[in-house]
């Protein structure tokens, strides 16, 4: 009987210790349910705006009193929205106050021009259009409503909020397609039309007036980059035409873009190529199966180098991607390299997964590309409420990630982050590389070319060392 009593007491004490550890690590964050305000019986866009204010202030964590005041002022000073487009613009502007890239409108609904844009290293270009504007494909934008895209960029921060400069540049691709956003940023809009000056690849200049389409078009900050993919038809652009075709000889990052993940052999460069456009499984393949294919190819080839393309890894669940990160870090030999490609669309869980290469294999890692989309300390782990009338969906956040300085046990980080990820200080770019207007249209990849050049230089150095 005494033994049983001791076991019970020990069991209770053990669970009390676990509960104490859970609570001390901020575990209540994971248990707290969203606070949902009542929905007015009369639906209207004005009611949506009121609901928006209430649900954000009740649920967005980590904001300062000053930010809350400024957020409220933007809403109270705004004219009552007459269209979903106007409401979306108010939502974007108000949420930008919180200086957190995740905190945004997850599903936007705006009147958009019949073209889509993509930034390259030397300009903003048209990559997709309705068939009647196909002659504009591949053109570089010179001005939008009398302003250059470069001049509009700094102002776009009032609609994008946090993140890095590269993230705000990427988000401007969406904003520049909406005349109401252009007007707010300082472009001239005449009777609903935008005068656009373009330059063709053969240096011919064109001026055209474009109007937004009659129907609201959706958008998504974490997926808009797909407009640059060949023959992409997301976001209700079925039947549109693209600057690039799937029948062309495309670089690896633009091949089979209907798949999130891609694995290729590059034997002439003693490498394999691993592309992950998200940190979750593809619809036709689990990440466990993809990881096994990586292991099998690496073992079969005995490759020294692994090229990991995260330039479009928009995030998801980093716990699902970390096993692949660890496998690659372990697979590459001591005299090999992990070439990690990143860019503006390396975001959220994509940044977390990318960062852990530096923690696990710093001596093997070479980071290639350009600045990632967010700071190394950011808020995420939220929920996605919809505004009742308009259907505009929000991303509200409640948990911090800190890759720069790490997460202490008692700080405000999301609890799993304290156990599963490690600080890295910075994620510096070792080899800067971006695609240009010309390389994109030619189906070339200057980023991969920079990787290959580095591999060949390393080979040459190894041969010289062997002869000494």
């Amino acid at each position: 009987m005494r033994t049983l009593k001791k076991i019970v007491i020990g069991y209770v004490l053990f669970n009390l210790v676990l509960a104490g550890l859970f609570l001390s690590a901020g575990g209540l964050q994971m248990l707290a349910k969203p606070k949902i305000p009542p929905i007015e019986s009369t639906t209207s866009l004005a009611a949506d705006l009121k609901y928006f204010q209430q649900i954000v202030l009740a649920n967005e964590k980590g904001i300062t009193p000053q930010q809350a005041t400024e957020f409220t002022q933007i809403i109270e000073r705004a004219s009552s929205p007459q269209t979903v487009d106007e409401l979306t613009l108010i939502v974007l502007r108000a949420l930008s106050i919180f200086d957190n890239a995740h905190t945004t409108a997850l599903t936007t609904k705006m009147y958009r021009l019949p073209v889509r844009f993509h930034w390259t290293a030397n300009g903003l270009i048209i990559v997709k259009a309705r068939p009647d504007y196909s002659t504009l494909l591949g053109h570089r934008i010179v001005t939008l409503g009398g302003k250059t895209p470069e001049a509009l960029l700094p102002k776009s921060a009032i609609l994008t909020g946090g993140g890095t400069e590269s993230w705000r540049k990427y988000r401007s691709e969406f904003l520049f397609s909406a005349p109401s956003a252009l007007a707010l940023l300082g472009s001239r809009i005449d009777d609903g039309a935008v005068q656009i000056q373009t330059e063709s690849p053969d240096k011919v200049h064109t001026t055209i007036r474009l109007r937004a389409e009659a129907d609201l078009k959706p958008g998504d900050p974490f997926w808009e980059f797909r407009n640059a993919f060949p023959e992409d038809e997301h976001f209700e652009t079925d039947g549109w035409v693209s600057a690039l075709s799937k029948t062309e000889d495309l670089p690896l990052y633009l091949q089979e873009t209907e798949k999130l993940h891609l694995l290729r052999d590059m034997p002439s460069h003693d490498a394999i190529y691993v592309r992950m456009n998200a940190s979750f499984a593809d619809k036709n393949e689990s990440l466990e199966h993809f990881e096994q294919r990586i292991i099998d190819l690496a073992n079969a080839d005995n490759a020294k180098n692994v090229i990991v393309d995260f330039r479009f890894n928009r995030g998801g669940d980093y716990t699902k991607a970390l096993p692949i990160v660890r496998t690659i870090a372990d697979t590459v030999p001591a005299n090999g390299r992990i070439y990690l490609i990143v860019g503006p669309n390396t975001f959220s869980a994509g940044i977390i997964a990318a960062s852990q290469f530096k923690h696990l294999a710093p001596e093997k890692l070479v980071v290639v590309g350009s600045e990632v989309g967010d700071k190394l300390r950011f808020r995420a782990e939220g929920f996605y409420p919809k505004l009742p009338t308009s259907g505009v969906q929000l991303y509200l956040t409640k948990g911090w990630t800190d890759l720069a300085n790490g997460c202490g046990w008692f700080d405000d980080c999301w609890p799993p982050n304290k156990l599963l990820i490690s600080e890295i200080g910075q994620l510096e770019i070792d080899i800067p590389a971006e695609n240009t207007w010309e390389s994109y249209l030619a189906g070339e990849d200057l980023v991969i070319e920079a990787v290959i050049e580095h591999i060949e230089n390393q080979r040459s150095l190894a041969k010289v060392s062997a002869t000494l």
Side-chain angles (χ1 to χ4, degrees):
M1 195 68 179
R2 288 182 179 177
T3 301
L4 178 61
K5 185 175 181 181
K6 289 179 180 179
I7 291 173
V8 171
I9 292 172
Y11 177 78
V12 170
L13 289 175
F14 177 73
N15 280 278
L16 286 173
V17 170
L18 285 181
L21 289 171
F22 178 75
L23 293 174
S24 67
L28 287 178
Q29 292 182 69
M30 302 179 70
L31 301 177
K33 293 183 178 180
K35 300 174 183 177
I36 309 299
I39 298 175
E40 293 188 6
S41 56
T42 303
T43 60
S44 68
L45 295 180
D48 262 15
L49 192 58
K50 180 180 178 181
Y51 183 85
F52 165 67
Q53 180 180 0
Q54 292 172 339
I55 200 165
V56 170
L57 292 179
N59 292 280
E60 181 66 19
K61 305 302 181 185
I63 63 176
T64 67
Q66 181 179 349
Q67 287 174 333
T69 299
E70 292 178 9
F71 169 82
T72 300
Q73 287 174 344
I74 286 175
I75 294 171
E76 291 178 346
R77 293 171 182 174
S79 300
S80 181
Q82 302 303 302
T83 66
V84 176
D85 182 285
E86 291 177 8
L87 175 68
T88 301
L89 205 60
I90 297 170
V91 166
L92 289 171
R93 192 171 185 187
L95 292 178
S96 73
I97 291 297
F98 300 132
D99 192 30
N100 185 58
H102 283 76
T103 307
T104 188
L106 189 61
T107 303
T108 54
K109 295 183 179 183
M110 301 191 78
Y111 296 114
R112 302 178 68 177
L113 299 173
V115 294
R116 294 294 180 266
F117 305 120
H118 173 62
W119 277 105
T120 66
N122 58 342
L124 181 72
I125 64 173
I126 297 174
V127 290
K128 187 162 68 172
R130 253 182 21 202
D132 39 338
Y133 294 103
S134 61
T135 56
L136 296 175
L137 289 171
H139 284 216
R140 182 179 68 86
I141 299 298
V142 180
T143 62
L144 289 160
K147 302 285 186 179
T148 67
E150 292 77 10
L152 291 169
L153 263 179
K155 301 176 183 178
S156 69
I158 66 171
L159 295 172
T160 54
T164 59
E165 289 297 326
S166 68
W167 178 254
R168 286 191 281 275
K169 189 173 185 179
Y170 155 67
R171 291 296 293 126
S172 74
E173 296 172 0
F174 157 71
L175 296 172
F176 293 169
S177 73
S180 59
L182 284 171
L184 182 64
L185 299 179
S187 288
R188 186 171 57 253
I189 310 298
D190 297 322
D191 193 27
V194 184
Q195 181 169 289
I196 299 177
Q197 293 181 323
T198 70
E199 179 186 9
S200 71
D202 54 0
K203 309 304 179 186
V204 175
H205 286 249
T206 300
T207 299
I208 187 171
R209 285 168 59 84
L210 292 182
R211 292 184 179 275
E213 296 190 276
D215 298 326
L216 291 164
K217 290 291 185 181
D220 184 319
F222 306 130
W223 287 111
E224 284 273 339
F225 60 77
R226 291 186 292 194
N227 287 319
F229 288 174
E231 301 177 24
D232 177 78
E233 292 188 331
H234 287 96
F235 305 116
E236 297 181 13
T237 57
D238 308 57
W240 288 35
V241 287
S242 301
L244 298 178
S245 167
K246 290 182 178 180
T247 60
E248 298 176 39
D249 186 15
L250 296 168
L252 289 169
Y253 83 101
L254 291 176
Q255 291 182 17
E256 300 181 49
T257 51
E258 68 279 2
K259 298 178 180 178
L260 291 176
H261 312 308
L262 191 71
L263 179 63
R264 288 290 182 267
D265 191 9
M266 300 178 68
S268 60
H269 303 296
D270 201 9
I272 63 172
Y273 173 85
V274 179
R275 186 188 77 198
M276 293 186 68
N277 284 358
S279 294
F280 49 81
D282 216 333
K283 58 184 178 181
N284 295 320
E285 183 180 36
S286 69
L287 284 182
E288 291 78 11
H289 187 265
F290 185 60
E291 179 184 358
Q292 188 58 53
R293 288 204 294 128
I294 294 171
I295 293 170
D296 293 344
L297 183 58
N299 289 339
D301 276 19
N302 213 13
K304 283 177 56 178
N305 306 298
V306 177
I307 302 169
V308 182
D309 197 339
F310 272 20
R311 78 183 86 179
F312 291 118
N313 193 323
R314 45 77 74 205
D317 183 347
Y318 74 83
T319 67
K320 305 297 184 184
L322 282 184
I324 292 177
V325 172
R326 295 189 188 100
T327 290
I328 292 173
D330 292 340
T331 298
V332 174
N335 62 343
R337 293 288 185 275
I338 299 169
Y339 292 94
L340 175 64
I341 298 175
V342 297
N345 299 109
T346 310
F347 194 77
S348 193
I351 295 177
I352 296 174
S355 74
Q356 296 309 284
F357 280 112
K358 183 173 180 180
H359 169 66
L360 294 167
E363 70 287 348
K364 303 175 187 176
L365 184 64
V366 180
V367 184
V368 186
S370 57
E371 182 183 46
V372 298
D374 208 352
K375 305 162 190 172
L376 296 187
R377 176 172 164 82
F378 59 84
R379 283 197 314 277
E381 309 302 342
F383 79 113
Y384 319 110
K386 280 188 177 181
L387 303 186
T389 302
S390 63
V392 171
Q393 191 172 27
L394 312 176
Y395 189 140
L396 303 182
T397 68
K398 60 180 179 180
W400 286 96
T401 294
D402 194 338
L403 297 165
N405 302 307
C407 293
W409 191 259
F410 298 102
D411 67 17
D412 54 3
C413 282
W414 187 243
N417 296 349
K418 300 176 182 183
L419 299 172
L420 300 178
I421 58 179
S422 299
E423 66 183 275
I424 60 163
Q426 295 179 311
L427 189 63
E428 306 93 340
I429 305 298
D430 299 306
I431 304 176
E434 293 182 74
N435 279 304
T436 63
W437 175 22
E438 297 81 7
S439 69
Y440 174 83
L441 294 179
E444 299 170 352
D445 186 1
L446 300 183
V447 183
I448 282 286
E449 289 181 16
V451 170
I452 292 172
E453 182 181 359
H454 192 272
I455 290 174
E456 297 310 311
N457 287 340
Q458 292 298 113
R459 279 179 167 179
S460 299
L461 290 172
K463 288 179 181 178
V464 171
S465 298
T467 61
L468 295 178

